[in-house]
Amino acid sequence: MTRPPTAAQRRVIDAADPVTGRLRGTESQLAALVKRELAFRHPRPPHDHFLTPAGHRVREETATAAASAPEAAGPTREHAREPARESSESSGVFAARVGGEEGVDAGPSRIREVHSAWQGLLELRRMTNPHGAVDRPCAWERTHLVQAAALALEAAGHRPAGADTEGYRVRATPQPEAVAVRGPVAEALRECAATLEQAGWQVGEHTEPRTGARYLLASPRRT
């Protein structure tokens, strides 16, 4: 891509489904995004268009810029304390809870939102995995490891850690295709491992040498 997308193309990208990346727009808009390698046309009917990894990056950059833009009167003290919630809720971009966020909401609206996101991810697997397989992660999950693992856990009913409450925490690791999952007790870790395995992840339990704390190392299964 040699030129940035136009304003009209950015609007199409910004309106894409936050999980599946499915696009809605005119044929000319979608064709232009495909030409710029920001989208691809699925080969199977109904031949929907989806964001490529490059398209997802453009969308995420736009959301990040919107969330971090200073307000005309300057940010309030409350905004400064809650950057994660401001960026996900105010921008309207869905984000699975990775653990450690403030103001964790476990109400009916959040449950519906998570369920919808998980169903969308399963549909993305069906549309993009070979033979429509939904039992293993897709390319989007491999480029969004922490969010993908956290969504699988949250959709299964596991509670993420809050600022002052216990729960799971999903974090990136130096390994190229692995995330670390920590929990307050051994039983919670075993339950998280079972959920991730059912969602198509390879999971192993490890011990931190210095602290002796147990944690999971999870990677997307390929076959």
Side-chain angles (χ1 to χ4, degrees):
M1 185 180 66
T2 58
R3 295 178 297 161
T6 65
Q9 290 168 351
R10 279 191 177 276
R11 286 193 293 271
V12 174
I13 292 172
D14 293 344
D17 184 281
V19 174
T20 66
R22 182 177 291 180
L23 294 162
R24 291 289 181 269
T26 66
E27 286 298 323
S28 61
Q29 288 172 330
L30 297 174
L33 291 175
V34 170
K35 186 176 182 180
R36 294 184 176 214
E37 299 184 350
L38 296 174
F40 69 93
R41 183 175 183 267
H42 200 276
R44 292 198 297 270
H47 301 297
D48 284 331
H49 288 73
F50 295 85
L51 291 176
T52 62
H56 275 288
R57 285 194 295 272
V58 170
R59 186 178 190 280
E60 290 163 1
E61 288 166 3
T62 301
T64 300
S68 60
E71 300 179 18
T76 64
R77 192 171 296 176
E78 287 73 17
H79 288 157
R81 285 199 302 265
E82 300 180 329
R85 188 170 67 172
E86 178 71 13
S87 63
S88 62
E89 293 181 4
S90 297
S91 65
V93 177
F94 174 83
R97 299 274 163 70
V98 302
E101 297 91 346
E102 293 187 8
V104 174
D105 174 24
S109 61
R110 178 64 185 182
I111 293 173
R112 288 193 297 270
E113 186 180 27
V114 172
H115 175 75
S116 177
W118 177 248
Q119 293 303 312
L121 184 56
L122 292 179
E123 176 64 8
L124 182 60
R125 288 183 178 188
R126 187 185 72 81
M127 295 291 288
T128 59
N129 275 344
H131 311 297
V134 297
D135 61 345
R136 59 180 178 272
C138 61
W140 181 89
E141 293 170 90
R142 297 179 190 283
T143 58
H144 298 76
L145 292 170
V146 173
Q147 281 289 318
L151 176 56
L153 293 173
E154 192 176 0
H158 298 280
R159 186 173 180 83
D164 301 307
T165 58
E166 293 185 337
Y168 70 76
R169 295 174 185 268
V170 184
R171 298 293 184 266
T173 72
Q175 299 191 34
E177 273 205 359
V179 296
V181 180
R182 293 174 172 81
V185 294
E187 180 61 27
L189 270 184
R190 285 193 291 270
E191 292 173 354
C192 287
T195 291
L196 289 171
E197 287 171 351
Q198 291 173 1
W201 295 65
Q202 294 177 323
V203 184
E205 191 170 336
H206 301 266
T207 302
E208 292 184 350
R210 290 186 298 175
T211 65
R214 302 291 289 173
Y215 68 98
L216 304 176
L217 202 62
S219 302
R221 184 166 57 84
R222 291 190 175 275
T223 58

